Amino acid sequence: MTVEREFHADRHDEPIKPASTVMLVRGRSDSIATLEVFMVQRTHNASFARGMYVFPGGRVDDSDADPRLHALCDGLDDERASTLLRVERGGLAYWVGALRECFEESGILLARHARSGELVRIDDAATARRFAEARHAVHDGTATLLDVCREERLRLALGDVRYVSNWVTPRGESRRFDTRFFVAPAPPGQEPLHDDLETIDSLWVSPSEALERATRGELAMFPPTASNLQFLAGHNDIGTVLAAADAVGS
């Protein structure tokens, strides 16, 4: 079932904006039974969630609903996406927004080469420079994700991006978001890194360790982040996490 929750106290109504965030997961290199998730720390100057440790994510933009970009999506269409999110239409924009924000905030692009079908790798210097420039261009608005996909001849890889939960910022906050949480395997040949703009730190961490560090006051985080870490902490490998996420939408 869909998890839809509010957190914190009420004060007054504010407009609610759609948002997406994605939990990138991988198996730890020294263990076959330990899962790690990528987290970033938001800048202390942020207007929302300042200093908090979060997963890459943010507002769903108008560009995320562009039908030209949706035509470059593999593994999911708007009808199926909307059904999974229990909305009438427009569900695919949440998935696209999650991938765009992931690219902007971590440098990871979940996409495939249109010709070969292989996942994008960014593991040589020339490719890294090219995609770093594209990442910053998308972030500052001088390019769109559609531009990047066309330039690099890519298709967005949505097949392994699973929906997990829905959290709504409560009344009383200065900014309110209807946020969909997703989980996806980190692609090989790409190494995430915070952007030093909206985020100032990043780490790979096991979900249980992240929760322990939050309890000790070392990692500040909102209840939705902790709740989704608890979801991940119940699983030791990517396959079982994806299966559990599939059960959410069933």
Side-chain angles (χ1 to χ4, degrees), residues 108 119-124 127 186-191:
I108 294 290
L119 287 169
V120 169
R121 299 183 66 94
I122 310 178
D123 52 1
D124 66 82
T127 302
Q190 297 191 47
E191 187 61 36

Side-chain angles (χ1 to χ4, degrees), residues 22-29 34-41 53-56 102 106 108 110 183-194 201-210 213 219 229 232 238:
V22 60
M23 300 178 285
L24 290 171
V25 294
R26 72 178 185 184
R28 200 168 75 186
S29 59
T34 301
L35 198 74
E36 290 184 320
V37 62
F38 182 71
M39 302 188 74
V40 295
Q41 183 186 24
Y53 278 83
V54 298
F55 312 114
C102 185
S106 75
I108 294 290
L110 298 170
V183 63
Q190 297 191 47
E191 187 61 36
L193 183 65
H194 56 280
D201 188 25
S202 58
L203 74 162
W204 283 103
V205 62
S206 74
S208 57
E209 180 184 350
R213 293 180 65 180
L219 300 180
L229 284 170
L232 294 178
I238 293 172

Side-chain angles (χ1 to χ4, degrees), residues 88-132:
E88 186 175 349
R89 64 179 65 87
L92 194 62
Y94 283 92
W95 262 265
V96 174
L99 267 62
R100 176 185 52 76
E101 286 286 348
C102 185
F103 184 46
E104 291 183 29
E105 293 196 348
S106 75
I108 294 290
L109 184 56
L110 298 170
R112 299 180 183 277
H113 294 285
R115 179 168 295 180
S116 68
E118 296 179 354
L119 287 169
V120 169
R121 299 183 66 94
I122 310 178
D123 52 1
D124 66 82
T127 302
R129 283 193 299 270
R130 195 169 71 249
F131 276 89

Side-chain angles (χ1 to χ4, degrees), residues 80-235:
R80 177 59 179 160
S82 299
T83 297
L84 289 170
L85 298 188
R86 292 175 170 81
V87 297
E88 186 175 349
R89 64 179 65 87
L92 194 62
Y94 283 92
W95 262 265
V96 174
L99 267 62
R100 176 185 52 76
E101 286 286 348
C102 185
F103 184 46
E104 291 183 29
E105 293 196 348
S106 75
I108 294 290
L109 184 56
L110 298 170
R112 299 180 183 277
H113 294 285
R115 179 168 295 180
S116 68
E118 296 179 354
L119 287 169
V120 169
R121 299 183 66 94
I122 310 178
D123 52 1
D124 66 82
T127 302
R129 283 193 299 270
R130 195 169 71 249
F131 276 89
E133 291 174 359
R135 171 189 183 180
H136 293 302
V138 173
H139 182 273
D140 64 26
T142 57
T144 66
L145 187 56
L146 175 63
D147 295 330
V148 176
C149 288
R150 285 177 166 176
E151 178 69 22
E152 297 288 339
R153 295 180 174 83
L154 304 176
R155 298 183 64 84
L156 298 181
L158 303 185
D160 282 340
V161 182
R162 305 295 211 279
Y163 172 55
V164 174
S165 65
N166 177 202
W167 286 78
V168 180
T169 313
R171 299 177 182 88
E173 296 294 319
S174 59
R175 292 191 175 191
R176 299 190 67 199
F177 297 98
D178 175 5
T179 304
R180 311 291 175 146
F181 284 74
F182 298 89
V183 63
Q190 297 191 47
E191 187 61 36
L193 183 65
H194 56 280
D195 59 14
D196 269 337
L197 296 169
E198 294 182 2
T199 56
I200 56 175
D201 188 25
S202 58
L203 74 162
W204 283 103
V205 62
S206 74
S208 57
E209 180 184 350
L211 290 167
E212 291 170 2
R213 293 180 65 180
T215 300
R216 295 196 299 266
E218 297 173 6
L219 300 180
M221 62 183 67
F222 281 138
T225 306
S227 178
N228 281 280
L229 284 170
Q230 289 168 354
F231 167 81
L232 294 178
H235 308 283

